[in-house]
Amino acid sequence: MTRLAAFQRVVSQYADIADFSVVYIEEAHPSDGWVSTDAPFQIPKHRCLEDRLRAAQLLLSEVPGSSVVVDNMDNSSNAAYGAYFERLYIVRDERVVYQGGRGPEGYQISGLRDWLQQYRSDLVNSRMPVLHV
């Protein structure tokens, strides 16, 4: 959740040039599994899509300005993008243009911020279109 707060600051700072989405995947530290002592929510392992949807509802208040979508129970988005369990991407014109490191160790909000700052500079100079993150 600490990283989510940093992400939210980036959302606020760059909302004028980018759309932001959070893909909620399988729970990294379910309350009935590998428990995290600093987790603000106690979320059990998702047994069905409805469980995952309920858990994702908790994120809505944490990421204003972002859409929240949910991975399927086969975890195909998680597998395709190698999130395990958090990762930052920028997609422009249906193509990945920025891929952050795998979390938790490789999750670096500074890389995302640097990319967006450069994009803003380029946008000001060339009138590029807004992108979706």
Side-chain angles (χ1 to χ4, degrees):
M1 293 305 279
T2 302
R3 290 185 176 124
L4 201 53
F7 177 76
Q8 184 55 43
R9 287 190 294 274
V10 170
V11 169
S12 298
Q13 186 175 2
Y14 294 99
D16 61 322
I17 62 164
D19 297 321
F20 293 84
S21 294
V22 173
V23 179
Y24 185 73
I25 59 174
E26 62 185 302
E27 186 60 35
H29 299 285
S31 59
D32 56 350
W34 184 25
V35 179
S36 173
T37 57
D38 63 348
F41 304 110
Q42 295 301 309
I43 301 169
K45 181 176 174 69
H46 309 137
R47 307 224 184 287
C48 62
L49 188 57
E50 289 75 21
D51 289 348
R52 191 167 285 182
L53 289 167
R54 272 192 298 279
Q57 287 289 324
L58 298 170
L59 282 178
L60 288 175
S61 63
E62 302 294 328
V63 288
S66 297
S67 61
V68 176
V69 298
V70 177
D71 199 359
N72 61 36
M73 293 306 291
D74 292 333
N75 301 309
S76 59
S77 295
N78 190 358
Y81 287 92
Y84 305 110
F85 287 92
E86 54 193 351
R87 200 167 199 177
L88 298 166
Y89 279 91
I90 295 177
V91 178
R92 180 167 179 228
D93 298 327
E94 300 180 15
R95 209 177 104 245
V96 172
V97 295
Y98 173 84
Q99 177 183 19
R102 286 189 179 166
E105 294 83 12
Y107 184 97
Q108 299 290 325
I109 200 77
S110 60
L112 177 71
R113 187 181 310 109
D114 292 347
W115 195 99
L116 288 166
Q117 185 57 46
Q118 182 61 52
Y119 181 78
R120 176 178 275 149
S121 295
D122 294 346
L123 183 63
V124 167
N125 294 330
S126 68
R127 295 288 186 209
M128 293 168 54
V130 172
L131 69 108
H132 303 276
V133 177

